Amino acid sequence: MEWKRKSEAESKQRVFDALKNNVNYRSGSVLGVPGTYLDPKVFSEEISFVREAPYLSTLVHNPNHIGCHTLGDSESYFEGTQVLEREVIRICSENILKADPDTVDGYVAAGGTEANLQAIWIYRNYFLQERKASLSEIAVVCTEDSHYSMQKAGNIFQIQCVLLPVEKEKRVIDRAAAEAKLALLKTSGVKYIIVVSNMMTTMFGSIDKVEEYVELMTAFGFQFKIHVDAAYGGFYAPIVDEKNTINFTHPMVNSFTMDAHKLLQAPYGTGIFLIRKDWMKYAHTDAASYVVGADCTLSGSRSGANAIAIWLIFAAYGRHEWYEKCMTLERRTSWLTKELDTRGIRYFRSPLSNIVAIHANQIPVGLASGYGLVPDDHHQPSWFKIVVMDHVSIEKLEVFLEELDASMVHNERL
């Protein structure tokens, strides 16, 4: 599938045609579906700006996208908008992450956390079912810079979550410390590892080396599966870095998390889970016998409007204009780091990342707080980060730097 820009008129037509192919609660004779359009006293479809807005119209129509629509059978009541969700999955997997056509399943999840949980749930069940593992023999392994959803998943699915130390300045795996931790894990009886490799961590924008995980897991004799948490970097790193090899062409990578509510600027509730074909079955439940195609997602019922929001953004940009947007952010970030260099400010920036983490002792806490710089630890910050998003213009950065200069002059006088 080719990711091309569409005109506003064409996008509107596609969405409204999709809604026509969904169930119409008002004019249809559907009596048994436990759902309906949004309450018209509060969410009236007759308001003109709602009628003209495809996303808002989809919200009001309230399609339920329960299930995973790349698998085959799904609820026919919402087949119109399901088609657009499948297009979203194909753009993410094939155009951005270079999968072969029709080799990836996926769905629009509630967020990156759910997508990470979905992956860990599937691999845990795979090891339980296919390797007859016990829970104590399975562990999640990721770095200490990883998102806390991995620890949450370990708690929910009752398996260990082991955080590998990283080198503080380079934010890469501390090899010696990691090997020591894995040795202890091996002697404790763990045999099966769910690896979560990061494509731009939340705090630092750092990218893990998949090959290093492969080397470590192989050296210790673990059986393992690799999931990539690209919640932040999935819509950025593969676009700006032509040498990026972390995608579905990598034979050891089996699944991805992407998150549209970050760089894509979609509404919250637009996480994306992607996994190679024939793996969703490990989350399948026969208990959902009243759902066509059953269900294999953590969220179950979910709003089809979230998939439409992503589809509309893809349609508004196309691949080339999205590349231009990402490169604009990259250039702004490079401008910022050059300015920090001239001032002798110590920071970390992963190559081509739009996240800059500044050492906490280089910036007054009040200044960091005033500009909404996020700390790595609210109690004892070691770093404050700037994320160069669409709203973070060079003009805003210039004002921040002027105040930083003033604080440095003040400190010198003291």
Side-chain angles (χ1 to χ4, degrees), residues 336-389:
L336 172 61
T337 55
K338 287 177 183 177
E339 292 295 316
L340 294 176
D341 287 338
T342 63
R343 292 162 171 81
I345 301 294
R346 294 170 56 233
Y347 63 88
F348 172 85
R349 181 198 180 192
S350 186
L352 301 177
S353 168
N354 65 323
I355 296 177
V356 179
I358 301 173
H359 279 274
N361 61 8
Q362 302 282 289
I363 179 171
V365 173
L367 181 61
S369 176
Y371 279 90
L373 274 60
V374 175
D376 59 331
D377 185 325
H378 281 279
H379 303 292
Q380 291 183 313
S382 297
W383 302 85
F384 289 106
K385 72 171 177 177
I386 295 175
V387 184
V388 182
M389 298 285 282

Side-chain angles (χ1 to χ4, degrees), residues 69 183 195 256 324 329 374 380:
H69 313 306
V195 173
F256 280 85
E324 291 173 2
L329 298 180
V374 175
Q380 291 183 313

